[in-house]
């Protein structure tokens, strides 16, 4: 048995998370307090070098900078939309860093931090939000699947992939990402049933950021999400999602258990979406500013920084160098985005099938001929694409 | 008479409000429709005024929304379900096509399913995948469902009320890229019947059929064609199931030519059915084959390519030229 199978220690509960009629459920795994103090957890210890700690900090910082830059690019009209991960960096970097090279991750549309850790180029993610393609990375080479916009669909894919891993006796595990809202989908519940029934080596990593667009977690569940796992017959753990060390430790343990044939685990990373749902969303309609202020005190990056400074694991020079690296990354993202070229129209016909059909090939040729017939290359288009005010596009 | 200038979005909002005032059994259900007022703000303010029993922010589960609507309808409620975007109707597709559509027939008329399924559909807003699709043919192909597509504020205002009052399940398609377009709406008028197409511009040389977001494009094409001395008649289909084609036949018998325009892929789309029926009914009047203009047989492309994918003025005029060239 790994630590996962009896994680019940009482450590610093985040208040207000539980349904009011239920007794408090304080099982929150934490290894680093919001003040940046290291605490021990009887079930989850972490053996981590100073180098690794510094590199975790670097990942968190660069991922945040990428996110901030992308949000700015959207505001300037360079991206159609952006789904910010602000506040969820520790959950994503911690989970991503727990993966082995041969593991596979199945993200939603917000897992930029995991993409970063898997070595996906930020510009390959940004191209999706710019509307140039549907995600420019190679899922096989990176072990990071394409983003899935339809809520919850990826959980079944992850489970099926894990069943394949199991049949092949491969030494890998699968990490499926989902949100708190996604736990309401039938398909997500089906994936939990399948994973349990077949003891598939899959870990469900739910970032409970408290909202599904405007809908608070209370509209999705009457019990803390991690407790649902028990009903499906496998362990559930709630981890402080703003504590990168705890997330890393818990996810590593769960992936190890999966690899050892112990089946699935459900991890609830208890966190908060500090920004809007996407750049088209207006969170002032459904949440109070005070709530955000409270969560700022639990900022995932500030707490690691406090710990690294206090212990002398990192000094000013280190923080300055990470800052400089972040500036460079932001500049690269900005230039790369602005310079990104639109694909040719004919590209939409190209990968519809593995084996092109004569009908579609004919449509492609007709399309090319039609567009070539405009001498100036331009069309007369009073009916242009015009995003209206106020829509929250996913 | 009380006339207000309204956007399609606001007209829907007022129409829903009036339907809720008229009938206490009307219940709105959907994701983010409460405090947020829906991602397009169509239900803005309704939860505040009618309470969260009547404007229900549901859990994030489309099968749940439609499946529970079936049960509520059995108890005499009139659920109005909002699907956030076209591409997210599919988790509910099973409930819609295997249950909602068939229960009246299966129960030999003992159970009615007065459910309205509101779907913002179509492209043109620069969104990522699954936010720009035109799934109307799937629904129109399913017996037991009725399908309506509105194109303007007047039809939005009256259509939503008529759909809610109607005893059968209706897939109610809203042209999302036109939500912000305005027109005067007489809120005291006697509305036109819901399941009727309408000639929205008279003409003699060719008939253009469109619905939802493409009606405006068709009208623009007619405008442009007029400058070249061509007179196009434009018909807004308004209802996709049942199809109201008698006025269309009449028009085509007069003009002898027809172009059908929609955003959905052309292959096996609504246009195919319409072209077949026109051919059957107007064969001896036709001077040219009925031509279709629509999306290509590809997934809806990334937004940088949607202008190339969506039928625009040029493509409609091109088809008009071809039809007139026969
Ligand atoms: C099947 C489906 N329904 C609706 C949507 C629209 N939508 C996009 S994100 C979202 C909320 C998701 O919330 P959650 O699962 O908690 O993830 P978060 O965005 O908070 O990370 C909704 C309703 C969708 N993408 N897919």
């Amino acid at each position: 048995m790994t630590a996962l199978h009896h994680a019940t220690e009482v450590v610093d509960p985040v208040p207000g998370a539980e349904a009011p009629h239920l007794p408090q459920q304080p099982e929150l795994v934490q290894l680093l307090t919001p003040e940046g103090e290291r605490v021990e957890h009887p079930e989850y210890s972490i053996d981590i070098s100073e180098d690794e700690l510094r590199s975790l900090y670097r990942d968190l910082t660069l991922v945040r900078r990428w996110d901030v830059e992308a949000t700015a690019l959207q505001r300037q009209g360079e991206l159609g939309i952006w789904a910010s991960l602000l506040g969820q960096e520790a959950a994503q970097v911690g989970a991503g860093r727990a993966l082995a090279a041969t593991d596979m991750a199945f993200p939603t549309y917000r897992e930029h931090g995991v993409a970063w850790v898997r070595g996906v180029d930020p510009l390959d993610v940004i191209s999706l939000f710019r509307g140039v393609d549907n995600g420019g990375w190679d899922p096989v080479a990176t072990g990071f699947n394409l983003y899935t916009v339809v809520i919850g669909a990826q959980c079944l894919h992850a489970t099926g992939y894990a069943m394949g891993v199991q049949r092949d006796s491969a030494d890998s595990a699968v990490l499926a990402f989902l949100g708190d809202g996604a736990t309401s989908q039938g398909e997500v519940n089906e994936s939990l049933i399948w994973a349990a029934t077949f003891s598939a080596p899959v870990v469900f990593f739910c970032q409970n950021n408290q909202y599904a667009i405007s809908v608070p977690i209370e509209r999705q569940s009457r019990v803390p999400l991690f407790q649902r796992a028990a009903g499906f017959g496998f362990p559930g753990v709630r981890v402080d999602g703003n504590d990168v060390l705890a997330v890393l430790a818990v996810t590593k343990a769960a992936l190890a258990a999966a690899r050892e044939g112990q089946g699935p685990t459900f991890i609830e990373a208890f966190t908060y979406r500090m920004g809007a749902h996407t750049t088209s969303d207006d969170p002032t309609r459904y949440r109070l500013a005070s709530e955000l202020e409270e969560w700022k005190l639990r900022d995932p990056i500030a707490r690691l920084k406090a710990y690294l400074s206090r212990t002398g694991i990192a000094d000013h020079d280190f923080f300055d160098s990470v800052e400089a690296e972040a500036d460079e990354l932001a500049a690269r993202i900005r230039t790369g985005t602005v310079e990104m070229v639109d694909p040719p129209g004919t590209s939409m016909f190209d990968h519809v099938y593995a084996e092109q059909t004569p009908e579609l090939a004919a449509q492609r040729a007709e399309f090319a001929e039609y567009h070539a017939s405009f001498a100036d290359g331009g069309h007369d288009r009073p009916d242009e694409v015009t995003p209206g005010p106020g829509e929250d596009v996913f | 008479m009380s006339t207000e200038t309204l956007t399609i979005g606001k007209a829907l909002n007022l129409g829903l409000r009036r339907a809720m005032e008229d009938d206490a059994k009307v219940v709105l259900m959907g994701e983010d429709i409460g405090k947020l007022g829906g991602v397009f703000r169509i239900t803005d303010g309704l939860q505040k005024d009618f309470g969260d029993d009547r404007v229900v922010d549901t859990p994030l589960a489309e099968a749940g929304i439609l499946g529970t609507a079936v049960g509520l309808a059995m108890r005499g409620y009139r659920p109005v379900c909002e699907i956030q975007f076209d591409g997210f109707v599919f988790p509910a597709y099973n409930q819609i096509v295997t249950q909602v559509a068939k229960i009246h027939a299966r129960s030999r008329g003992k159970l009615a399913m007065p459910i309205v399924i509101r779907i913002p559909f179509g492209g043109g807003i620069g969104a990522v995948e699954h936010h720009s699709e035109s799934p109307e043919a799937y629904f129109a192909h399913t017996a037991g469902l009725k399908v309506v597509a509105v194109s303007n504020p007047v039809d939005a205002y009256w259509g939503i009320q008529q759909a809610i009052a109607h005893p059968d399940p209706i897939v109610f398609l809203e042209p999302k890229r036109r939500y912000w377009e305005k027109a005067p709406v007489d809120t005291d008028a006697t509305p036109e019947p819901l399941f009727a197409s309408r000639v929205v511009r008279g003409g003699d040389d060719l008939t253009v059929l469109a619905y939802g977001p493409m009606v405006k494009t068709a009208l623009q094409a007619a405008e442009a064609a007029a400058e070249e001395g061509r007179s196009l008649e434009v018909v807004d289909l308004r209802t996709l199931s049942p199809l109201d084609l008698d006025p269309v036949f009449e028009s085509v018998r007069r003009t002898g030519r027809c172009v059908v325009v929609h955003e959905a892929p052309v292959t096996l789309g609504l246009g195919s059915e319409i072209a077949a029926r026109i051919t059957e009914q107007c064969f001896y009047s036709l001077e040219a084959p009925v031509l279709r203009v629509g999306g290509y047989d590809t997934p809806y492309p990334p937004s940088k390519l949607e202008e190339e994918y969506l039928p625009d003025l040029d493509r409609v005029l091109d088809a008009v030229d071809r039809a007139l060239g026969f």
Side-chain angles (χ1 to χ4, degrees):
Chain A
M1 276 249 155
T2 64
L4 280 168
H5 295 253
H6 35 83
T8 52
E9 200 55 23
V10 178
V11 184
D12 188 24
V14 176
E18 287 75 28
H21 64 289
L22 292 167
Q24 287 280 295
Q25 301 293 339
E27 303 98 329
L28 182 84
V29 180
Q30 196 175 65
L31 297 177
L32 196 59
T33 69
E35 295 72 36
E37 304 279 2
R38 272 287 273 120
V39 286
E40 292 304 319
H41 189 280
E43 312 287 337
Y44 297 97
S45 57
I46 189 159
D47 183 18
I48 189 164
S49 71
E50 296 193 347
D51 265 352
E52 281 177 290
L53 282 166
R54 282 188 294 265
S55 94
L56 280 173
Y57 177 83
R58 175 181 172 272
D59 280 352
L60 293 173
T61 307
L62 295 186
V63 161
R64 178 167 291 182
R65 182 61 72 87
W66 164 12
D67 188 71
V68 167
E69 191 62 30
T71 302
L73 282 163
Q74 194 282 335
R75 294 278 176 250
Q76 290 153 19
E78 295 292 342
L79 303 183
I81 191 166
W82 180 247
S84 167
L85 61 38
L86 192 69
Q88 299 179 220
E89 297 89 348
Q92 295 191 13
V93 168
R97 294 274 298 249
L99 288 161
T102 51
D103 291 345
M104 185 74 188
F106 286 81
T108 70
Y109 42 80
R110 202 189 289 284
E111 267 71 70
H112 323 313
V114 187
W116 171 263
V117 171
R118 298 303 268 173
V120 174
D121 190 316
L123 289 168
D124 285 343
V125 175
I126 281 186
S127 61
L128 186 158
F129 292 91
R130 189 171 166 85
V132 168
D133 57 34
N134 290 321
W137 64 92
D138 178 346
V140 180
T142 56
F144 185 72
N145 197 37
L146 293 177
Y147 279 2
T148 300
V149 171
V150 179
I151 300 294
Q154 76 282 0
C155 290
L156 282 166
H157 312 160
T159 303
Y161 189 95
M163 290 164 66
V165 164
Q166 189 178 43
R167 279 158 197 257
D168 298 343
S169 307
D171 181 25
S172 44
V174 180
L175 193 54
F177 288 87
L178 66 154
D180 43 290
T183 63
S184 293
Q185 285 286 354
E187 291 184 3
V188 169
N189 288 275
E190 290 180 30
S191 74
L192 299 178
I193 289 164
W194 280 66
T197 299
F198 297 101
S199 216
V202 55
V203 174
F204 298 96
F205 190 90
C206 175
Q207 289 167 83
N208 176 1
N209 66 8
Q210 314 302 328
Y211 288 93
I213 309 189
S214 70
V215 181
I217 179 66
E218 294 77 35
R219 259 292 141 116
Q220 316 286 349
S221 185
R222 295 291 296 272
V223 299
L225 292 175
F226 76 99
Q227 289 187 349
R228 287 209 190 150
F232 290 94
F234 55 87
V237 190
R238 177 180 272 185
V239 61
D240 183 338
N242 288 15
D243 171 354
V244 71
L245 299 186
V247 172
L248 181 60
V250 167
T251 315
K252 261 197 173 159
L255 288 167
R259 264 190 286 268
E260 285 162 19
Q262 295 182 51
T265 300
F266 185 96
I267 298 173
E268 176 189 359
F270 199 82
T271 183
Y272 191 75
R273 189 192 81 208
M274 301 220 290
H277 170 71
T278 66
T279 41
S280 327
D281 175 39
D282 174 10
T284 62
R285 281 182 166 245
Y286 56 83
R287 75 182 187 198
L288 298 170
S290 57
E291 185 181 295
L292 176 60
E293 291 311 310
E294 244 178 74
W295 276 92
K296 278 188 183 160
L297 302 174
R298 303 185 192 133
D299 187 287
I301 303 187
R303 86 168 67 172
L304 185 60
K305 186 170 189 181
Y307 172 65
L308 296 181
S309 320
R310 180 175 314 113
T311 52
I313 293 172
D315 57 12
H316 272 300
D317 285 353
F318 170 77
F319 292 124
D320 286 350
S321 75
V322 173
E323 218 42 49
E325 211 186 330
D327 289 344
E328 265 169 48
L329 176 68
R332 185 170 82 79
I333 286 172
R334 168 158 298 268
T335 319
T337 301
V338 175
E339 288 174 355
M340 219 173 262
V341 288
D342 294 354
T346 46
S347 66
M348 70 181 142
F349 299 90
D350 286 346
H351 298 289
V352 182
Y353 302 102
E355 191 177 296
Q356 180 67 308
T357 66
E359 278 172 315
L360 200 57
Q363 270 187 28
R364 186 188 196 279
E366 207 178 293
F367 175 92
E369 195 187 322
Y370 176 67
H371 283 268
S373 74
F374 291 89
D376 57 358
H379 298 216
D380 176 23
R381 284 206 189 92
D383 200 30
E384 291 221 315
V385 170
T386 42
E391 86 271 25
D392 305 308
V393 183
F394 94 84
Chain B
M1 182 170 122
S2 140
T3 299
E4 291 180 64
T5 296
L6 301 175
T7 61
I8 290 183
K10 186 66 185 167
L12 287 165
N13 177 273
L14 290 180
L16 286 167
R17 175 178 288 278
R18 203 161 152 185
M20 294 185 80
E21 283 163 357
D22 288 352
D23 183 351
K25 292 288 190 186
V26 174
V27 179
L28 311 194
M29 314 207 292
E31 295 158 8
D32 302 288
I33 67 170
K35 271 191 195 163
L36 192 66
V39 294
F40 289 105
R41 312 288 184 256
I42 305 303
T43 56
D44 198 14
L46 297 179
Q47 189 181 65
K48 195 166 121 283
D49 296 341
F50 292 94
D52 60 7
D53 262 4
R54 303 225 20 226
V55 181
V56 184
D57 256 336
T58 66
L60 208 181
E62 288 77 9
I65 294 170
L66 264 300
T68 58
V70 168
L72 280 163
M74 289 172 66
R75 297 281 311 177
Y77 287 90
R78 305 186 91 85
V80 181
C81 303
E82 175 173 306
I83 298 294
Q84 205 156 69
F85 280 91
D86 34 60
F88 308 141
V89 71
F90 298 103
Y93 192 64
N94 171 43
Q95 287 289 341
I96 298 171
V97 303
T98 72
Q99 305 302 315
V100 173
K102 294 185 168 54
I103 284 174
H104 191 263
R106 250 166 47 200
S107 68
R108 298 200 159 266
K110 295 207 170 57
L111 295 174
M113 284 288 125
I115 295 172
V116 176
I117 306 164
R118 294 183 36 237
I119 310 177
F121 86 122
I125 63 162
V128 295
E129 56 180 356
H130 314 300
H131 291 74
S132 307
E133 293 166 21
S134 301
E136 60 269 24
Y138 298 121
F139 299 112
H141 193 67
T142 299
L145 298 177
K146 292 176 179 171
V147 184
V148 165
V150 294
S151 67
N152 61 70
V154 175
D155 288 349
Y157 178 77
W158 291 114
I160 192 65
Q161 295 180 60
Q162 291 166 312
I164 293 170
H166 192 77
D168 288 315
I170 295 182
V171 175
F172 192 88
L173 300 169
E174 302 171 4
K176 69 168 86 81
R177 83 161 113 157
R178 309 280 186 219
Y179 269 145
W180 300 276
E181 295 193 357
K182 292 181 183 171
V185 179
D186 175 359
T187 53
D188 292 336
T190 306
E192 292 194 25
L194 181 60
F195 303 108
S197 58
R198 182 197 297 145
V199 175
V200 288
R201 179 184 171 116
D204 303 318
D205 297 338
L206 182 144
T207 307
V208 182
L209 304 184
Y211 54 87
M214 281 293 119
V215 173
K216 182 174 176 189
T217 308
L219 285 168
Q220 287 170 334
E223 195 76 31
E227 284 168 24
E228 292 169 19
R230 285 161 173 179
S231 159
L232 307 190
E233 178 143 307
V234 178
V235 179
D236 180 352
L237 279 174
R238 298 176 73 246
T239 171
L240 311 184
S241 177
L243 278 165
D244 176 33
L245 293 183
D246 284 342
V248 174
F249 299 149
E250 203 176 296
S251 171
V252 174
R253 283 189 193 113
R254 202 157 34 72
T255 63
R257 292 177 167 86
C258 183
V259 171
V260 191
V261 187
H262 55 56
E263 290 188 18
V266 160
T267 299
L268 295 167
L270 258 285
S272 312
E273 174 66 25
I274 293 166
R277 292 222 211 154
I278 292 174
T279 308
E280 283 170 10
Q281 297 295 322
C282 311
F283 187 71
Y284 292 108
S285 313
L286 283 172
E287 307 281 346
V290 180
L291 298 181
R292 292 163 294 160
V293 180
Y296 300 102
D297 296 329
T298 68
Y300 195 88
S303 60
K304 290 284 185 189
L305 293 180
E306 67 182 336
E307 281 189 36
E308 318 235 28
Y309 176 90
L310 290 170
D312 61 2
L313 188 57
D314 292 325
R315 281 175 58 202
V316 176
L317 289 174
D318 189 61
V320 167
D321 284 348
R322 278 187 290 135
L324 288 166
F326 271 90

